[in-house]
Amino acid sequence: MKVYDIIVAGAGAGGVFFAYEMAKNHVDAKVLVIDKGAPVDRRICPIKAGKTPTCIKCKPCHIMNGYGGAGTLSDGKYNITTQFGGDLHKYVGVEKAMQTMEYVDSVLCEMGGDEAKLYTTENAKVKTLALQNNLHLLSAKVRHLGTDRNLEILKKIYEISSEYVDMNFYEEIITVEKADAGFKVITSKGEYTCKDLILATGRSGSKWLDKVCKSFGLEQKKNRVDIGVRVELPAEIFKEITDEVYESKIVYKTEKYNDLVRTFCMNPYGEVVSENTNGIVTVNGHSYGDPSLHTENTNFALLVSNQFTEPFDDSNEYGESIARLSNLLGGGVLLQRFGDLVKGRRSSERRMEKCFTRPTLKATPGDLSLVIPKRQLDGIIEMIYALDRIAPGTANEDTLLYGVEVKFYNSKVVVDENLETGVNNLYAIGDGSGVTHSLSQASASGVLVARRMIDKYGYR
């Protein structure tokens, strides 16, 4: 039985910045971070390595697990805002949330992120254009690192952190229990005890975290699931928008259902990728800072939010069932031309051969209307026509739609202003807590809890 002062369950964005802050300040505490994925230098997706054309469902998935969590192999977009990306400000206040996100940005810049441009949506021409067409551009500052630069920055943060913090990879936490001196952590490789336990499991650890909360009798609040598609089109169509604001979070209220549809994760000159969450293959997008890695396309998600009430309370299961259906029909990700979708026909290999937009992800041509529920699909189609008014060409018949994209949001763990749960010395941070939904806010939550631990344990 190994004894630690603090154990962190998960090495995602929250866990990364918790460990960094503890190491930077030489806190007088013995800290261990445990993650079932790989260390940062071994996180290589077989698709990207050219070993396979499609997802082979690695366990654990290199895109979703390991040092840095789902953010490591993402496009490294840090949105500094409280308008989206989570509710951290509702717990710690807007000023403190923004200051901590700015601090996270300063750390990234120290590690090489200052080479990446900082965009802002304030006073942007596209904001006026959007309003004129019943679309709403949310305000934010955006630091886009790119997948390549993001990876190098995380390697530097790891080097600093690992000098003072123990980090175990390829080790899965089976369960955690209350112990006399704090907590007992049982893993696939051994047992540990600690005084303080930080739950930082990220999106991929939602089911595990749910079991832990139930075992401790912790209250969780229902959350939502976002279902949609990944849109891919020639980069020229969105060039004026992406050149000015890069990451444009545009929200539209549909006329038919009064539902909110939004753009998410804009990747100029990027590529579409697949990811494996709990054995289910969904779609996402990446982009790179290095111009030599750019493609001719831009991709972004169109997502419809789904919030459920009684008697149904498992929004993630709803999203997973739709993703499973896509996997069943397409063996993974489905791909359809927008023109085929609105004409009510499936995209076939023959039709794809005539498509002028070249897909960046190998996916199965098919019919998304057999997978995505009518209400969500109607909203997505309506949104595409709305975007066509500010970015003419969006509704071109050769615009590509990949499905499905699902954003799972953990049920919110009830925490206080210190992100501490109803169990003393048990904290929940990052996207796993349901409090944050972005790299910036997840990282900031790790910093905030680390500062609480600094006050508690002091310096070496």
Side-chain angles (χ1 to χ4, degrees):
M1 182 87 67
K2 296 183 179 179
V3 179
Y4 284 87
D5 294 307
I6 304 167
I7 292 180
V8 183
V16 163
F17 269 84
F18 176 89
Y20 170 79
E21 197 70 2
M22 297 292 282
K24 175 186 174 183
N25 289 280
H26 297 185
V27 180
D28 190 18
K30 190 176 181 183
V31 183
L32 170 66
V33 177
I34 303 174
D35 196 282
K36 67 179 180 180
V40 62
D41 57 344
R42 296 184 185 178
R43 289 191 60 183
I44 302 173
C45 175
I47 297 176
K48 190 64 181 176
K51 296 180 179 179
T52 177
T54 57
C55 181
I56 56 175
K57 299 184 178 182
C58 297
K59 292 183 180 180
C61 173
H62 281 289
I63 288 181
M64 297 300 293
N65 302 281
Y67 186 80
T72 298
L73 299 182
S74 73
D75 59 320
K77 234 189 254 98
Y78 285 77
N79 295 297
I80 305 171
T81 181
T82 57
Q83 288 206 4
F84 57 87
D87 297 322
L88 184 63
H89 60 287
K90 294 181 180 179
Y91 298 83
V92 304
V94 172
E95 184 177 359
K96 192 172 185 179
M98 288 297 295
Q99 287 177 347
T100 314
M101 283 187 275
E102 293 282 6
Y103 168 74
V104 167
D105 183 62
S106 71
V107 172
L108 296 172
C109 287
E110 287 176 15
M111 303 295 169
D114 56 340
E115 299 174 1
K117 184 176 178 180
L118 183 67
Y119 297 85
T120 179
T121 59
E122 294 301 324
N123 303 315
K125 295 178 183 177
V126 67
K127 196 168 189 175
T128 301
L129 181 61
L131 285 170
Q132 291 170 343
N133 289 278
N134 199 28
L135 294 160
H136 302 270
L137 179 68
L138 301 183
S139 297
K141 287 192 293 185
V142 183
R143 178 81 65 183
H144 174 244
L145 302 177
T147 306
D148 45 351
R149 187 183 288 116
N150 185 51
L151 193 60
E152 293 306 311
I153 288 172
L154 284 172
K155 288 179 180 178
K156 292 178 181 178
I157 293 176
Y158 174 78
E159 288 176 4
I160 294 171
S161 303
S162 59
E163 290 184 11
Y164 296 90
V165 174
D166 291 344
M167 296 195 190
N168 291 3
F169 296 100
Y170 303 118
E171 185 169 359
E172 186 171 2
I173 299 177
I174 308 303
T175 188
V176 296
E177 302 171 355
K178 199 76 177 70
D180 293 337
F183 303 92
K184 182 179 180 181
V185 179
I186 302 171
T187 78
S188 56
K189 294 184 178 180
E191 296 183 1
Y192 310 84
T193 62
C194 62
K195 300 172 186 175
D196 292 275
L197 179 61
I198 318 294
L199 303 176
T201 57
R203 287 189 290 127
S204 63
S206 60
K207 291 185 176 180
W208 179 86
L209 185 59
D210 180 64
K211 291 179 181 178
V212 171
C213 288
K214 288 178 179 176
S215 70
F216 281 111
L218 291 173
E219 183 184 354
Q220 298 181 79
K221 292 184 178 179
K222 297 175 184 177
N223 220 322
R224 70 176 198 266
V225 63
D226 294 344
I227 296 169
V229 298
R230 175 70 46 170
V231 178
E232 185 170 45
L233 36 65
E236 290 84 353
I237 292 174
F238 264 76
K239 187 176 187 301
E240 289 189 16
I241 294 175
T242 55
D243 281 356
E244 187 173 357
V245 299
Y246 195 87
E247 169 75 343
S248 51
K249 283 284 197 304
I250 301 172
V251 181
Y252 173 72
K253 186 184 294 183
T254 64
E255 294 181 8
K256 190 168 186 178
Y257 299 108
N258 212 35
D259 288 340
L260 295 179
V261 186
R262 76 182 196 280
T263 62
F264 177 82
C265 189
M266 186 80 64
N267 294 293
Y269 308 99
E271 62 181 9
V272 179
V273 299
S274 58
E275 60 183 28
N276 173 11
T277 305
N278 298 323
I280 300 170
V281 180
T282 54
V283 66
N284 209 328
H286 292 174
S287 58
Y288 297 88
D290 185 352
S292 68
L293 299 174
H294 286 179
T295 71
E296 60 190 2
N297 296 338
T298 285
N299 70 75
F300 56 90
L302 286 183
L303 299 173
V304 184
S305 293
N306 300 266
Q307 187 84 44
F308 298 96
T309 56
E310 295 181 356
F312 185 71
D313 64 355
D314 196 341
S315 56
N316 280 353
E317 179 57 34
Y318 177 77
E320 286 185 7
S321 66
I322 292 172
R324 285 193 203 99
L325 184 55
S326 172
N327 290 183
L328 177 65
L329 293 179
V333 176
L334 282 175
L335 170 64
Q336 189 170 22
R337 295 165 63 246
F338 181 65
D340 291 332
L341 176 64
V342 296
K343 291 174 184 176
R345 65 190 187 190
R346 71 181 291 266
S347 290
S348 61
E349 292 284 359
R350 177 178 61 82
R351 291 192 177 109
M352 287 305 303
E353 288 175 359
K354 298 178 181 179
C355 182
F356 285 106
T357 304
R358 292 185 293 182
T360 56
L361 173 69
K362 183 176 176 57
T364 304
D367 187 353
L368 291 171
S369 69
L370 296 177
V371 175
I372 300 175
K374 183 179 186 298
R375 179 167 181 154
Q376 287 92 330
L377 198 57
D378 284 350
I380 289 167
I381 292 171
E382 194 176 321
M383 174 63 152
I384 288 175
Y385 282 122
L387 289 173
D388 194 68
R389 296 196 292 267
I390 67 170
T394 303
N396 187 289
E397 68 171 14
D398 281 338
T399 289
L400 302 178
L401 307 178
Y402 297 83
V404 292
E405 180 144 350
V406 183
K407 295 305 173 194
F408 300 103
Y409 298 96
N410 292 9
S411 293
K412 285 184 181 179
V413 181
V414 175
V415 294
D416 62 16
E417 68 277 8
N418 298 310
L419 304 182
E420 187 174 10
T421 71
V423 175
N424 290 339
N425 304 321
L426 179 64
Y427 299 80
I429 64 173
D431 289 5
S433 67
V435 173
T436 74
H437 308 148
S438 66
L439 287 174
S440 287
Q441 291 203 23
S443 301
S445 71
V447 171
L448 291 170
V449 174
R451 289 174 179 172
R452 182 165 172 79
M453 294 297 104
I454 292 170
D455 291 340
K456 181 175 182 177
Y457 288 93
Y459 305 94
R460 291 180 184 173

